[in-house]
Amino acid sequence: MARAARASSMRFEDRTLASTLGQLPWGLILMLVSVACIGTAALYSSTYTNPAESALPLRHAIRFAVALVLMFLIALVPIKVWLQAAWPAYLVTLAMLVGVELFGVTGGGATRWLPLGPINVQPSEFMKLALTLALARYYHNNLTHQSGRFFIHLPPLLLILVPAALIFKQPDFGTTLALFASGGVLIYLGGLYYRIIFGVVAAGLASAWPIYAFVLEEYQRKRVDTFLAQLTGQAVNTLDDGYQIEQAKIAIGSGGWQGRGFMEGIQAQLDYIPEQHTDFILTVIAEEFGFLGATGLLLLWAIILIWGLVIARSSASLFGRFAAVGCVATVAFFILFNVAMVLGLVPVVGVPLPLVSYGGTVMFTTMACFGIILSVHLGRDERLSSQGVI
Amino acid sequence: MTTQGEFDQRISRRTVTAGVAGGVMFSGLVARLAQLQLLEGQRYREIADENGVKLELAPPLRGSIYDRFGVPLASHRQAGRISIIREQTPDMEASLREVARQIDLTSDQQARVIQQARQQASFQSTIVKSELTYEEFARMSLLAADIPGVQVDMAATRSYPRGRDFAHMLGYVAKASADDLARLTEGATQEETELLRRLFRHPDMRTGRSGVERHAEEWLRGEPGFRRLETNAAGRVIKELDSADVAPTPGKDIGLTVDAELQRAAIERFGDESGAAVVLDIETGAILAFVSTPAFDPNDFVNGISQADYDALRENDRSPLYHKAYDGTYPPGSTFKMVVATAALEAGINPEMRVHCPGHYRFGNRTWHCWKRGGHGSVNMHWAIKGSCDVYFYEIARRTGVEKIAEVSRKFGFGQRWELGMTGGRRGTVPDDAWKRAALGEPWYEGETLNYGIGQGYLSTTPLQLALYSARIAANGRLIEPYIIGEGPRPDERIPDAEPLNEEIMKRMQAGMYGVTSEAGGTAWRSGDLGLGGPRLAGKTGTAQVRRITKEERATGVLKGDQIARKLRDHALFVCYAPADDPKYAAAVVVEHGEGGSSTAAPVARDIMATAIRRDSRRAARWQTASVAPSIITTKGAP
């Protein structure tokens, strides 16, 4: 973003609501709405044969509308407020995670919910956002000009590890990975030496075999074996371990260039794929709209995320940059991991496709992330404090 | 030290780098999409098209089996049955209780139905009760509409109208077990295997477990029909696809050479005795009766026999499950004497040579006994056969030698399994020196040749072989081969023929057998008259020793009848042909533990033969067996 443009923009306090709304990147918002519409259509196609699921598409659309309002509300909160709220938000969320550990509600084999009055909340979802804000705040305050050092990155590592450990224990492997992914991107952005990064990656690769051989349980090893077998195209027992992925590949592959057409997908219509309306919704799009449709959706998401990075780069404050990049990384992780999972490139871990998969929490998390990104956009000229100024 | 500008640049640079890294990952995913959708798309599309389409198989009607005159022996009848579909009733237990109020259905049976239904998808039907009586069917047809989930329909069930009469020959059908499936799909391609597995999962589908039903399985089965249905992953039908239905092709029928009425008469004649009888057409080798009694009722097996009933059959000491005429092996006893005589004549012994029978025979330091304690006096071959003189045969057997006797036995068809196109069939044993060395690791002792001479010892034969032997004598030595499938899947395994038997010698044997039934001094002279005016019976009696008679017992008088346990009593045998002057039928009869060939077996054989002649079982059959037969008696390469 050109520096000249920034000079002409007004300070936040000077704006009216109308002019503030006018400042929003409406193209980006329109693209988000498009993604949600694609999701609703795919849901409609995959559920209309089953009367029990016929309400899902409408509910998805309504949820998106609510999440959109939430995004605007978050966007309109001044960036300075988010800076100040970062630490308290992190600490409260962490306390709630400990609370889950102590008084959590169990459901579906995992303990993720905390009963707060009449409702159950899922603190691990809040943590994605809270961790991003906390890390942004940390780097905003502490990133000095000598920040290429190693030790400055230890506190962020701790900020990631503590909640990650608590969430891993719930267990919620997908969210744990999400925290590491977005937190890791921020540490990278903070200027960690490349040699350390490569060292960690090398160590991770080197420890893969010992972990497989000595740490994993028998059933987990079997899952890894199945995954590797499928990845390399070997035959697996398609009615057992690899059923879901095998059927997903059949659905995606049968789409070809242009797909079978809306509501014409055989796999999609005939319930061949478990979790088709949630984590595996991409199979519906790939089957019915083909390579062009699936690539189009990915391209749409790529443009949205690049736009998010452009907003991050235009921010005058370190907090703004880090917060926006962290939010982009969180959403990007969901997309990349979900698509890789559906395409059989990574093991099946329950990670949904943002705004397309049916499900409330990921939609609110995603839209909250974009709320922060928009807030950064609106406050891009705010320097916030003497520290963290670029 | 980094300057402000460098610091700013680094963050910006790393933002871009992270973006590029993300972009690379997105490209990787797009590449994978391209691989799956563009490169391998065709293959996956084919799989997907198959995925949604289910072939619903309609079982073919199994072919029927008839006797030579077209009397059905295995066919099918329509029987009513009740089934229930789980998802169509809110309370399956209540529905079943409602059914139980109308017809006999125990709570055990109800529980089994519920358990079975729960293992299936909710839209599949489970059979509650099959084989409804007419009254049950009528009542349930009226009421089923009011009981949720319950349906009444008709299904074709395999039935054996002649019940036990043809149990061993036909065998029976049953639901295919895992073992059956493994056997049925042996050597099939993966596609065929899958089709067969699915076909046999159909509740109406049965497979032959034994007998002709099993051997001719493919011939009888027919081709399944199918409908193409679009189904979802759970198998629920979404819609019927447009492509045409293919109706099932019924299985092909089989015509046997047996005469159901002759078979019935023979079984009735046995009464409570257990035993076997085989009647052959001498001209063709066609089997007209193939009796093994007592028998089981194959109808009991079609829908699964209860364990208790099965155990009862298995533990019955008269072995109803056992095909005595084909699988049973018995020492032929004195019926074997024409083999020994033939061997002696072939070896050059003069038939007019006389042997003195004092009632016993000494060889080495042992004494062999004749059945007639006082002895036969001086006898030639003709007299020895009709009087069944053991001493004569000890002598000529010893002179002829074991190898010659074994060779002639094989010429008559002993010692080999005759393939008829049904399960079972035993070879029996024709012992000789080589056999004994292989089986027992000992050389042949000459004393054993004496036992051979009277059809005892290691020798064992099946009733089918005995009938064939009798038929070959009656046919002047022509090497007749037995068969039972007149129209249908004939077994193509033919046994290479041996040297034909000498016609002159066979005429001499016939004279001996005529003497047995029709001349003074014959052991069965009362059985020669068939009671038909003209035709007479010729035959030979035999008694197969089941236990060894001790020296002490012989001294005090051999135990008889009621004095010893049934299972230790001798088997009674009779081989015969009729009419004596123009042979048309040959037969062998074994009455298990019947004591005496002349007293028990011969009268049974006489009555069976009289029935065969009276019925004229050779009159124009539905299958023109006589014209077919010569072509199947062929010689196939040397062994």
Side-chain angles (χ1 to χ4, degrees), chain A residues 145-147 188 192 247 252 254 260 267 270 272 286 291 343, chain B residues 1-2 4 8 10 14 17 32 37 45 49 51 232-233:
Chain A
H145 296 178
Q146 291 80 32
S147 63
Y188 166 76
L192 185 65
Q247 293 297 337
I252 293 165
S254 66
R260 291 182 185 270
Q267 300 282 100
L270 302 179
Y272 271 86
F291 178 72
L343 295 180
Chain B
M1 277 293 276
T2 48
Q4 173 82 26
D8 181 16
R10 190 178 67 206
R14 287 201 169 196
T17 311
R32 173 70 168 174
Q37 299 194 285
R45 179 159 287 214
D49 288 344
N51 235 349
N232 70 5

PDB file of all heavy atoms in Angstrom, chain A residues 145-147 188 192 247 252 254 260 267 270 272 286 291 343, chain B residues 1-2 4 8 10 14 17 32 37 45 49 51 232-233:
ATOM      1  N   HIS A 145      15.027  -3.404  17.955  1.00  0.00           N
ATOM      2  CA  HIS A 145      15.742  -3.435  16.696  1.00  0.00           C
ATOM      3  C   HIS A 145      16.745  -4.570  16.663  1.00  0.00           C
ATOM      4  O   HIS A 145      17.262  -4.914  15.618  1.00  0.00           O
ATOM      5  CB  HIS A 145      16.426  -2.085  16.434  1.00  0.00           C
ATOM      6  CG  HIS A 145      15.419  -0.998  16.279  1.00  0.00           C
ATOM      7  ND1 HIS A 145      15.746   0.312  16.077  1.00  0.00           N
ATOM      8  CD2 HIS A 145      14.062  -1.037  16.310  1.00  0.00           C
ATOM      9  CE1 HIS A 145      14.659   1.032  15.989  1.00  0.00           C
ATOM     10  NE2 HIS A 145      13.602   0.221  16.141  1.00  0.00           N
ATOM     11  N   GLN A 146      17.050  -5.121  17.844  1.00  0.00           N
ATOM     12  CA  GLN A 146      17.973  -6.254  17.878  1.00  0.00           C
ATOM     13  C   GLN A 146      17.188  -7.587  17.941  1.00  0.00           C
ATOM     14  O   GLN A 146      17.661  -8.579  18.447  1.00  0.00           O
ATOM     15  CB  GLN A 146      18.906  -6.183  19.106  1.00  0.00           C
ATOM     16  CG  GLN A 146      19.908  -5.058  19.050  1.00  0.00           C
ATOM     17  CD  GLN A 146      19.285  -3.727  19.456  1.00  0.00           C
ATOM     18  OE1 GLN A 146      18.388  -3.686  20.292  1.00  0.00           O
ATOM     19  NE2 GLN A 146      19.743  -2.622  18.862  1.00  0.00           N
ATOM     20  N   SER A 147      16.011  -7.576  17.444  1.00  0.00           N
ATOM     21  CA  SER A 147      15.126  -8.717  17.698  1.00  0.00           C
ATOM     22  C   SER A 147      15.460  -9.971  16.917  1.00  0.00           C
ATOM     23  O   SER A 147      14.711 -10.933  16.944  1.00  0.00           O
ATOM     24  CB  SER A 147      13.690  -8.332  17.415  1.00  0.00           C
ATOM     25  OG  SER A 147      13.597  -8.028  16.042  1.00  0.00           O
ATOM     26  N   TYR A 188       7.779 -16.441  13.339  1.00  0.00           N
ATOM     27  CA  TYR A 188       8.569 -16.256  12.124  1.00  0.00           C
ATOM     28  C   TYR A 188       8.590 -14.786  11.736  1.00  0.00           C
ATOM     29  O   TYR A 188       9.642 -14.214  11.439  1.00  0.00           O
ATOM     30  CB  TYR A 188       7.965 -17.113  11.004  1.00  0.00           C
ATOM     31  CG  TYR A 188       8.482 -16.770   9.641  1.00  0.00           C
ATOM     32  CD1 TYR A 188       9.761 -17.168   9.240  1.00  0.00           C
ATOM     33  CD2 TYR A 188       7.702 -16.042   8.740  1.00  0.00           C
ATOM     34  CE1 TYR A 188      10.231 -16.861   7.981  1.00  0.00           C
ATOM     35  CE2 TYR A 188       8.174 -15.718   7.477  1.00  0.00           C
ATOM     36  CZ  TYR A 188       9.438 -16.133   7.098  1.00  0.00           C
ATOM     37  OH  TYR A 188       9.914 -15.797   5.857  1.00  0.00           O
ATOM     38  N   LEU A 192      12.645 -14.600  13.884  1.00  0.00           N
ATOM     39  CA  LEU A 192      13.467 -15.711  14.352  1.00  0.00           C
ATOM     40  C   LEU A 192      14.448 -16.098  13.251  1.00  0.00           C
ATOM     41  O   LEU A 192      14.112 -16.135  12.076  1.00  0.00           O
ATOM     42  CB  LEU A 192      12.561 -16.899  14.708  1.00  0.00           C
ATOM     43  CG  LEU A 192      13.231 -18.114  15.335  1.00  0.00           C
ATOM     44  CD1 LEU A 192      13.815 -17.775  16.692  1.00  0.00           C
ATOM     45  CD2 LEU A 192      12.230 -19.262  15.466  1.00  0.00           C
ATOM     46  N   GLN A 247     -13.765 -42.907  -0.499  1.00  0.00           N
ATOM     47  CA  GLN A 247     -14.994 -42.403  -1.112  1.00  0.00           C
ATOM     48  C   GLN A 247     -14.840 -40.927  -1.482  1.00  0.00           C
ATOM     49  O   GLN A 247     -15.380 -40.476  -2.483  1.00  0.00           O
ATOM     50  CB  GLN A 247     -16.182 -42.592  -0.172  1.00  0.00           C
ATOM     51  CG  GLN A 247     -16.549 -44.055   0.057  1.00  0.00           C
ATOM     52  CD  GLN A 247     -16.995 -44.756  -1.215  1.00  0.00           C
ATOM     53  OE1 GLN A 247     -17.437 -44.130  -2.165  1.00  0.00           O
ATOM     54  NE2 GLN A 247     -16.849 -46.068  -1.242  1.00  0.00           N
ATOM     55  N   ILE A 252     -14.312 -36.697  -5.584  1.00  0.00           N
ATOM     56  CA  ILE A 252     -13.551 -35.586  -6.153  1.00  0.00           C
ATOM     57  C   ILE A 252     -13.104 -35.946  -7.564  1.00  0.00           C
ATOM     58  O   ILE A 252     -13.318 -35.196  -8.513  1.00  0.00           O
ATOM     59  CB  ILE A 252     -12.337 -35.271  -5.256  1.00  0.00           C
ATOM     60  CG1 ILE A 252     -12.819 -34.729  -3.915  1.00  0.00           C
ATOM     61  CG2 ILE A 252     -11.417 -34.277  -5.942  1.00  0.00           C
ATOM     62  CD1 ILE A 252     -11.767 -34.720  -2.843  1.00  0.00           C
ATOM     63  N   SER A 254     -14.248 -38.082  -9.681  1.00  0.00           N
ATOM     64  CA  SER A 254     -15.298 -38.251 -10.677  1.00  0.00           C
ATOM     65  C   SER A 254     -15.838 -36.909 -11.169  1.00  0.00           C
ATOM     66  O   SER A 254     -16.570 -36.869 -12.152  1.00  0.00           O
ATOM     67  CB  SER A 254     -16.436 -39.104 -10.104  1.00  0.00           C
ATOM     68  OG  SER A 254     -17.079 -38.415  -9.062  1.00  0.00           O
ATOM     69  N   ARG A 260     -20.277 -32.841 -12.370  1.00  0.00           N
ATOM     70  CA  ARG A 260     -21.509 -33.452 -12.876  1.00  0.00           C
ATOM     71  C   ARG A 260     -22.652 -32.448 -12.936  1.00  0.00           C
ATOM     72  O   ARG A 260     -23.720 -32.754 -13.458  1.00  0.00           O
ATOM     73  CB  ARG A 260     -21.934 -34.588 -11.948  1.00  0.00           C
ATOM     74  CG  ARG A 260     -21.019 -35.789 -11.990  1.00  0.00           C
ATOM     75  CD  ARG A 260     -21.558 -36.848 -11.075  1.00  0.00           C
ATOM     76  NE  ARG A 260     -20.659 -37.995 -10.966  1.00  0.00           N
ATOM     77  CZ  ARG A 260     -20.717 -39.049 -11.775  1.00  0.00           C
ATOM     78  NH1 ARG A 260     -21.601 -39.097 -12.742  1.00  0.00           N
ATOM     79  NH2 ARG A 260     -19.891 -40.050 -11.611  1.00  0.00           N
ATOM     80  N   GLN A 267     -22.023 -39.369  -5.582  1.00  0.00           N
ATOM     81  CA  GLN A 267     -21.501 -39.583  -4.239  1.00  0.00           C
ATOM     82  C   GLN A 267     -22.197 -38.656  -3.246  1.00  0.00           C
ATOM     83  O   GLN A 267     -22.525 -39.037  -2.133  1.00  0.00           O
ATOM     84  CB  GLN A 267     -20.000 -39.316  -4.204  1.00  0.00           C
ATOM     85  CG  GLN A 267     -19.191 -40.198  -5.110  1.00  0.00           C
ATOM     86  CD  GLN A 267     -18.993 -41.575  -4.507  1.00  0.00           C
ATOM     87  OE1 GLN A 267     -19.687 -42.497  -4.881  1.00  0.00           O
ATOM     88  NE2 GLN A 267     -18.090 -41.691  -3.583  1.00  0.00           N
ATOM     89  N   LEU A 270     -25.945 -39.600  -2.637  1.00  0.00           N
ATOM     90  CA  LEU A 270     -26.255 -40.926  -2.110  1.00  0.00           C
ATOM     91  C   LEU A 270     -25.547 -41.231  -0.792  1.00  0.00           C
ATOM     92  O   LEU A 270     -25.412 -42.384  -0.411  1.00  0.00           O
ATOM     93  CB  LEU A 270     -25.916 -41.984  -3.161  1.00  0.00           C
ATOM     94  CG  LEU A 270     -26.650 -41.797  -4.498  1.00  0.00           C
ATOM     95  CD1 LEU A 270     -26.242 -42.863  -5.476  1.00  0.00           C
ATOM     96  CD2 LEU A 270     -28.159 -41.795  -4.309  1.00  0.00           C
ATOM     97  N   TYR A 272     -22.531 -41.337   0.287  1.00  0.00           N
ATOM     98  CA  TYR A 272     -21.416 -42.268   0.355  1.00  0.00           C
ATOM     99  C   TYR A 272     -20.318 -41.805   1.296  1.00  0.00           C
ATOM    100  O   TYR A 272     -19.490 -42.584   1.717  1.00  0.00           O
ATOM    101  CB  TYR A 272     -20.825 -42.531  -1.039  1.00  0.00           C
ATOM    102  CG  TYR A 272     -21.519 -43.669  -1.697  1.00  0.00           C
ATOM    103  CD1 TYR A 272     -22.683 -43.472  -2.430  1.00  0.00           C
ATOM    104  CD2 TYR A 272     -21.066 -44.963  -1.525  1.00  0.00           C
ATOM    105  CE1 TYR A 272     -23.352 -44.535  -2.989  1.00  0.00           C
ATOM    106  CE2 TYR A 272     -21.722 -46.041  -2.075  1.00  0.00           C
ATOM    107  CZ  TYR A 272     -22.866 -45.821  -2.806  1.00  0.00           C
ATOM    108  OH  TYR A 272     -23.525 -46.881  -3.345  1.00  0.00           O
ATOM    109  N   ALA A 286     -16.305 -30.391  -5.423  1.00  0.00           N
ATOM    110  CA  ALA A 286     -15.413 -30.950  -6.436  1.00  0.00           C
ATOM    111  C   ALA A 286     -16.168 -31.899  -7.356  1.00  0.00           C
ATOM    112  O   ALA A 286     -15.890 -31.977  -8.546  1.00  0.00           O
ATOM    113  CB  ALA A 286     -14.249 -31.678  -5.773  1.00  0.00           C
ATOM    114  N   PHE A 291     -13.087 -29.633 -11.399  1.00  0.00           N
ATOM    115  CA  PHE A 291     -11.805 -28.995 -11.116  1.00  0.00           C
ATOM    116  C   PHE A 291     -11.939 -27.485 -11.156  1.00  0.00           C
ATOM    117  O   PHE A 291     -11.398 -26.774 -10.313  1.00  0.00           O
ATOM    118  CB  PHE A 291     -10.783 -29.474 -12.165  1.00  0.00           C
ATOM    119  CG  PHE A 291      -9.426 -28.858 -12.017  1.00  0.00           C
ATOM    120  CD1 PHE A 291      -8.588 -29.226 -10.975  1.00  0.00           C
ATOM    121  CD2 PHE A 291      -8.987 -27.910 -12.930  1.00  0.00           C
ATOM    122  CE1 PHE A 291      -7.330 -28.664 -10.839  1.00  0.00           C
ATOM    123  CE2 PHE A 291      -7.734 -27.334 -12.789  1.00  0.00           C
ATOM    124  CZ  PHE A 291      -6.898 -27.713 -11.744  1.00  0.00           C
ATOM    125  N   LEU A 343      -8.242 -34.234   0.359  1.00  0.00           N
ATOM    126  CA  LEU A 343      -7.548 -34.764  -0.817  1.00  0.00           C
ATOM    127  C   LEU A 343      -6.632 -35.917  -0.451  1.00  0.00           C
ATOM    128  O   LEU A 343      -5.909 -36.434  -1.294  1.00  0.00           O
ATOM    129  CB  LEU A 343      -6.729 -33.657  -1.496  1.00  0.00           C
ATOM    130  CG  LEU A 343      -7.539 -32.505  -2.085  1.00  0.00           C
ATOM    131  CD1 LEU A 343      -6.615 -31.479  -2.727  1.00  0.00           C
ATOM    132  CD2 LEU A 343      -8.537 -33.015  -3.112  1.00  0.00           C
TER     133      LEU A 343
ATOM    134  N   MET B   1      23.526  -4.679  14.450  1.00  0.00           N
ATOM    135  CA  MET B   1      22.507  -3.627  14.543  1.00  0.00           C
ATOM    136  C   MET B   1      21.733  -3.494  13.241  1.00  0.00           C
ATOM    137  O   MET B   1      22.287  -3.467  12.154  1.00  0.00           O
ATOM    138  CB  MET B   1      23.199  -2.266  14.831  1.00  0.00           C
ATOM    139  CG  MET B   1      23.528  -2.016  16.298  1.00  0.00           C
ATOM    140  SD  MET B   1      22.086  -1.836  17.317  1.00  0.00           S
ATOM    141  CE  MET B   1      21.702  -0.116  17.067  1.00  0.00           C
ATOM    142  N   THR B   2      20.463  -3.520  13.400  1.00  0.00           N
ATOM    143  CA  THR B   2      19.645  -3.243  12.222  1.00  0.00           C
ATOM    144  C   THR B   2      19.080  -1.847  12.335  1.00  0.00           C
ATOM    145  O   THR B   2      18.746  -1.388  13.430  1.00  0.00           O
ATOM    146  CB  THR B   2      18.472  -4.229  12.131  1.00  0.00           C
ATOM    147  OG1 THR B   2      17.859  -4.278  13.390  1.00  0.00           O
ATOM    148  CG2 THR B   2      18.922  -5.601  11.718  1.00  0.00           C
ATOM    149  N   GLN B   4      16.262   1.117  11.432  1.00  0.00           N
ATOM    150  CA  GLN B   4      14.800   1.169  11.363  1.00  0.00           C
ATOM    151  C   GLN B   4      14.288   0.677  10.013  1.00  0.00           C
ATOM    152  O   GLN B   4      13.381  -0.145   9.921  1.00  0.00           O
ATOM    153  CB  GLN B   4      14.358   2.631  11.582  1.00  0.00           C
ATOM    154  CG  GLN B   4      12.878   2.891  11.380  1.00  0.00           C
ATOM    155  CD  GLN B   4      12.096   2.513  12.616  1.00  0.00           C
ATOM    156  OE1 GLN B   4      12.656   2.537  13.727  1.00  0.00           O
ATOM    157  NE2 GLN B   4      10.843   2.148  12.450  1.00  0.00           N
ATOM    158  N   ASP B   8      11.908  -2.642   9.296  1.00  0.00           N
ATOM    159  CA  ASP B   8      10.638  -2.515   8.577  1.00  0.00           C
ATOM    160  C   ASP B   8      10.630  -3.431   7.369  1.00  0.00           C
ATOM    161  O   ASP B   8       9.695  -4.195   7.133  1.00  0.00           O
ATOM    162  CB  ASP B   8      10.485  -1.050   8.148  1.00  0.00           C
ATOM    163  CG  ASP B   8       9.166  -0.831   7.417  1.00  0.00           C
ATOM    164  OD1 ASP B   8       8.280  -1.723   7.531  1.00  0.00           O
ATOM    165  OD2 ASP B   8       9.023   0.192   6.747  1.00  0.00           O
ATOM    166  N   ARG B  10      12.373  -6.082   6.907  1.00  0.00           N
ATOM    167  CA  ARG B  10      12.381  -7.506   7.217  1.00  0.00           C
ATOM    168  C   ARG B  10      10.960  -8.008   7.501  1.00  0.00           C
ATOM    169  O   ARG B  10      10.555  -9.059   7.022  1.00  0.00           O
ATOM    170  CB  ARG B  10      13.280  -7.780   8.430  1.00  0.00           C
ATOM    171  CG  ARG B  10      13.497  -9.280   8.624  1.00  0.00           C
ATOM    172  CD  ARG B  10      14.407  -9.559   9.775  1.00  0.00           C
ATOM    173  NE  ARG B  10      13.780  -9.178  11.017  1.00  0.00           N
ATOM    174  CZ  ARG B  10      14.449  -8.830  12.115  1.00  0.00           C
ATOM    175  NH1 ARG B  10      15.770  -8.799  12.099  1.00  0.00           N
ATOM    176  NH2 ARG B  10      13.822  -8.498  13.215  1.00  0.00           N
ATOM    177  N   ARG B  14       9.156 -10.736   5.356  1.00  0.00           N
ATOM    178  CA  ARG B  14       8.682 -12.016   5.909  1.00  0.00           C
ATOM    179  C   ARG B  14       7.173 -12.189   5.715  1.00  0.00           C
ATOM    180  O   ARG B  14       6.688 -13.304   5.574  1.00  0.00           O
ATOM    181  CB  ARG B  14       9.058 -12.127   7.390  1.00  0.00           C
ATOM    182  CG  ARG B  14      10.557 -12.373   7.550  1.00  0.00           C
ATOM    183  CD  ARG B  14      10.908 -12.987   8.873  1.00  0.00           C
ATOM    184  NE  ARG B  14      12.301 -13.436   8.865  1.00  0.00           N
ATOM    185  CZ  ARG B  14      12.821 -14.283   9.749  1.00  0.00           C
ATOM    186  NH1 ARG B  14      12.082 -14.747  10.715  1.00  0.00           N
ATOM    187  NH2 ARG B  14      14.071 -14.651   9.657  1.00  0.00           N
ATOM    188  N   THR B  17       7.044 -13.429   2.281  1.00  0.00           N
ATOM    189  CA  THR B  17       7.532 -14.814   2.230  1.00  0.00           C
ATOM    190  C   THR B  17       6.458 -15.779   2.736  1.00  0.00           C
ATOM    191  O   THR B  17       6.216 -16.823   2.139  1.00  0.00           O
ATOM    192  CB  THR B  17       8.793 -14.971   3.084  1.00  0.00           C
ATOM    193  OG1 THR B  17       9.701 -13.926   2.730  1.00  0.00           O
ATOM    194  CG2 THR B  17       9.450 -16.315   2.836  1.00  0.00           C
ATOM    195  N   ARG B  32      -2.870 -31.372  -6.677  1.00  0.00           N
ATOM    196  CA  ARG B  32      -3.476 -32.629  -6.250  1.00  0.00           C
ATOM    197  C   ARG B  32      -4.893 -32.768  -6.824  1.00  0.00           C
ATOM    198  O   ARG B  32      -5.298 -33.840  -7.273  1.00  0.00           O
ATOM    199  CB  ARG B  32      -3.504 -32.669  -4.718  1.00  0.00           C
ATOM    200  CG  ARG B  32      -4.263 -33.832  -4.120  1.00  0.00           C
ATOM    201  CD  ARG B  32      -3.556 -35.151  -4.321  1.00  0.00           C
ATOM    202  NE  ARG B  32      -4.167 -36.193  -3.505  1.00  0.00           N
ATOM    203  CZ  ARG B  32      -3.846 -37.478  -3.557  1.00  0.00           C
ATOM    204  NH1 ARG B  32      -2.900 -37.869  -4.383  1.00  0.00           N
ATOM    205  NH2 ARG B  32      -4.437 -38.350  -2.785  1.00  0.00           N
ATOM    206  N   GLN B  37      -8.683 -35.166 -10.414  1.00  0.00           N
ATOM    207  CA  GLN B  37      -9.845 -34.871 -11.256  1.00  0.00           C
ATOM    208  C   GLN B  37      -9.535 -34.939 -12.739  1.00  0.00           C
ATOM    209  O   GLN B  37     -10.389 -35.327 -13.531  1.00  0.00           O
ATOM    210  CB  GLN B  37     -10.400 -33.488 -10.922  1.00  0.00           C
ATOM    211  CG  GLN B  37     -10.863 -33.392  -9.475  1.00  0.00           C
ATOM    212  CD  GLN B  37     -11.711 -32.175  -9.238  1.00  0.00           C
ATOM    213  OE1 GLN B  37     -11.192 -31.070  -9.165  1.00  0.00           O
ATOM    214  NE2 GLN B  37     -13.009 -32.371  -9.118  1.00  0.00           N
ATOM    215  N   ARG B  45     -14.523 -41.689 -12.079  1.00  0.00           N
ATOM    216  CA  ARG B  45     -15.912 -41.541 -12.525  1.00  0.00           C
ATOM    217  C   ARG B  45     -16.554 -42.904 -12.726  1.00  0.00           C
ATOM    218  O   ARG B  45     -17.711 -43.130 -12.383  1.00  0.00           O
ATOM    219  CB  ARG B  45     -15.984 -40.725 -13.812  1.00  0.00           C
ATOM    220  CG  ARG B  45     -17.423 -40.581 -14.295  1.00  0.00           C
ATOM    221  CD  ARG B  45     -17.631 -39.425 -15.223  1.00  0.00           C
ATOM    222  NE  ARG B  45     -17.591 -38.146 -14.522  1.00  0.00           N
ATOM    223  CZ  ARG B  45     -18.328 -37.094 -14.861  1.00  0.00           C
ATOM    224  NH1 ARG B  45     -19.167 -37.171 -15.861  1.00  0.00           N
ATOM    225  NH2 ARG B  45     -18.234 -35.960 -14.222  1.00  0.00           N
ATOM    226  N   ASP B  49     -19.810 -44.201 -10.806  1.00  0.00           N
ATOM    227  CA  ASP B  49     -21.026 -44.625 -11.501  1.00  0.00           C
ATOM    228  C   ASP B  49     -21.483 -45.990 -10.988  1.00  0.00           C
ATOM    229  O   ASP B  49     -22.675 -46.254 -10.884  1.00  0.00           O
ATOM    230  CB  ASP B  49     -20.770 -44.683 -13.009  1.00  0.00           C
ATOM    231  CG  ASP B  49     -20.648 -43.288 -13.599  1.00  0.00           C
ATOM    232  OD1 ASP B  49     -21.060 -42.333 -12.905  1.00  0.00           O
ATOM    233  OD2 ASP B  49     -20.149 -43.147 -14.722  1.00  0.00           O
ATOM    234  N   ASN B  51     -20.818 -47.092  -8.000  1.00  0.00           N
ATOM    235  CA  ASN B  51     -21.132 -46.909  -6.585  1.00  0.00           C
ATOM    236  C   ASN B  51     -22.624 -46.779  -6.323  1.00  0.00           C
ATOM    237  O   ASN B  51     -23.161 -47.381  -5.420  1.00  0.00           O
ATOM    238  CB  ASN B  51     -20.447 -45.637  -6.087  1.00  0.00           C
ATOM    239  CG  ASN B  51     -19.580 -45.910  -4.886  1.00  0.00           C
ATOM    240  OD1 ASN B  51     -19.655 -46.983  -4.316  1.00  0.00           O
ATOM    241  ND2 ASN B  51     -18.774 -44.960  -4.516  1.00  0.00           N
ATOM    242  N   ASN B 232     -28.464 -45.615  -2.165  1.00  0.00           N
ATOM    243  CA  ASN B 232     -27.496 -44.794  -1.443  1.00  0.00           C
ATOM    244  C   ASN B 232     -26.504 -45.717  -0.752  1.00  0.00           C
ATOM    245  O   ASN B 232     -26.553 -46.933  -0.901  1.00  0.00           O
ATOM    246  CB  ASN B 232     -28.198 -43.846  -0.477  1.00  0.00           C
ATOM    247  CG  ASN B 232     -28.807 -44.563   0.694  1.00  0.00           C
ATOM    248  OD1 ASN B 232     -28.642 -45.767   0.847  1.00  0.00           O
ATOM    249  ND2 ASN B 232     -29.510 -43.825   1.512  1.00  0.00           N
ATOM    250  N   ALA B 233     -25.589 -45.107   0.005  1.00  0.00           N
ATOM    251  CA  ALA B 233     -24.499 -45.896   0.567  1.00  0.00           C
ATOM    252  C   ALA B 233     -25.004 -46.984   1.498  1.00  0.00           C
ATOM    253  O   ALA B 233     -24.404 -48.035   1.633  1.00  0.00           O
ATOM    254  CB  ALA B 233     -23.530 -44.988   1.310  1.00  0.00           C
TER     255      ALA B 233
END
